[in-house]
Amino acid sequence: MNRKQNLLIRHAIGSRLFFDAMRDHASFEVRSLDTDHWTFVVHIKDEEAIRNIMQHREELNLFVNELSGDIPIYKWWYYAKDTPKIEYDASSGILFITVDARMGYKV
């Protein structure tokens, strides 16, 4: 089966969904900086999502679901032990989020 990934960005308190890459037809990439830091490069132009992410920057959970077809088979939970580093380049529509913790588990 075809494997794909989906990124969800949620508010840690109440789990409110700010961004869903598949729903929003957006692309993303996870770059491993070292064994303890990952940077998400997210192509996003939804101004409301950007506002929510920036406003709640200290309370974000990022989930990468690995899918086989449409069925989730593995989930990665990424978060920051303190505050994640977040930058947004409005001209290119690219959001950068760097975190320092993750946990993986089967769904």
Side-chain angles (χ1 to χ4, degrees):
M1 283 200 139
N2 187 18
R3 288 212 174 169
K4 53 189 168 185
Q5 294 184 323
N6 187 32
L7 170 65
L8 303 172
I9 301 175
R10 294 185 172 277
H11 189 208
I13 301 167
S15 198
R16 184 170 148 215
L17 183 63
F18 295 141
F19 176 78
D20 178 328
M22 291 181 115
R23 177 198 68 196
D24 299 336
H25 306 288
S27 63
F28 72 95
E29 172 186 356
V30 182
R31 296 178 182 165
S32 178
L33 302 178
D34 55 41
T35 59
D36 295 322
H37 294 87
W38 299 268
T39 294
F40 286 77
V41 180
V42 185
H43 297 266
I44 176 175
K45 295 195 180 210
D46 182 331
E47 291 180 17
E48 181 181 356
I50 293 299
R51 264 194 314 276
N52 282 323
I53 290 167
M54 299 303 270
Q55 180 180 359
H56 300 287
R57 67 186 322 130
E58 295 180 12
E59 304 162 339
L60 295 179
N61 285 324
L62 293 84
F63 297 96
V64 175
N65 295 325
E66 295 182 14
L67 308 160
S68 179
D70 290 332
I71 301 169
I73 56 172
Y74 205 81
K75 182 181 278 189
W76 289 99
W77 171 31
Y78 292 86
Y79 56 97
K81 294 175 188 166
D82 292 313
T83 301
K85 179 181 174 187
I86 300 178
E87 297 175 19
Y88 182 64
D89 180 353
S91 63
S92 65
I94 298 177
L95 175 69
F96 300 91
I97 303 175
T98 301
V99 296
D100 60 0
R102 78 171 180 175
M103 181 185 309
Y105 51 93
K106 286 188 177 188
V107 179

